[in-house]
Amino acid sequence: MIAPERRRSGPAPSSIVAAAVVLGAVALIAAAVLAGSTPDDEEFRFAVLSAWLRVHALASGDGGHWTPLLGFGLPQPFSPNFSWHPLALLLLVMTPVAWARLLVMTHTVIGAAGMWRLTKTLHLRRLTRAVCAATFLLASPAQNYVLVEIGRAHV
């Protein structure tokens, strides 16, 4: 007589380890971003300021192609800018610093999810996918992007 197969209830141990690896890497990145990191002056002077001015101008019914708020007036938008970014409207209710942190975290999580999806398409095991996503998050270019320079957030 053949014994019936026993099925486990709940997630497999490899799934739990995989989730722990990815969530640990995300937590490290989030802690660094939310606790504060070296700001990229260029982005705050140009891209974030330009987006803030543009969003507030549009909210008040102005086209936002000229701002009298700086000097004797300047054409808008500056280059580069986040005016067309899907999260730009949140600048109406968030401070620029909080918005920039949200922007960086959103892009970082989307990048990690993309790495997970890519490795899933390649039919890799869960633990291997988790290591690939964590490596993506903790690699030098990602660390530079998250902690020092948000310049590539709008590319």
Side-chain angles (χ1 to χ4, degrees):
M1 182 175 188
I2 300 175
E5 285 186 31
R6 298 181 91 190
R7 295 191 181 228
R8 291 185 200 168
S9 61
S14 65
S15 298
I16 294 170
V17 172
V21 168
V22 173
L23 292 176
V26 169
L28 281 172
I29 296 290
V33 169
L34 299 177
S37 61
T38 307
D40 185 4
D41 274 353
E42 267 180 33
E43 296 307 319
F44 280 109
R45 270 186 282 151
F46 300 113
V48 176
L49 173 63
S50 177
W52 186 89
L53 290 168
R54 176 81 175 198
V55 167
H56 282 271
L58 291 173
S60 67
D62 185 20
H65 297 292
W66 184 267
T67 180
L69 300 175
L70 299 171
F72 294 113
L74 291 170
Q76 279 286 88
F78 304 149
S79 181
N81 69 69
F82 296 110
S83 296
W84 293 103
H85 195 280
L87 298 176
L89 289 177
L90 290 175
L91 280 167
L92 290 171
V93 295
M94 297 178 78
T95 65
V97 172
W99 183 82
R101 288 179 177 165
L102 174 69
L103 176 82
V104 168
M105 282 308 303
T106 302
H107 284 227
T108 303
V109 169
I110 288 172
M115 181 59 70
W116 184 270
R117 185 69 191 137
L118 172 66
T119 56
K120 187 175 183 176
T121 301
L122 296 172
H123 304 290
L124 299 178
R125 289 191 209 143
R126 281 190 184 121
L127 189 55
T128 307
R129 282 186 259 167
V131 169
C132 290
T135 301
F136 167 80
L137 287 168
L138 301 174
S140 305
Q143 292 296 314
N144 183 48
Y145 163 72
V146 169
L147 301 176
V148 178
E149 184 178 346
I150 67 169
R152 286 176 275 296
H154 61 282
V155 174

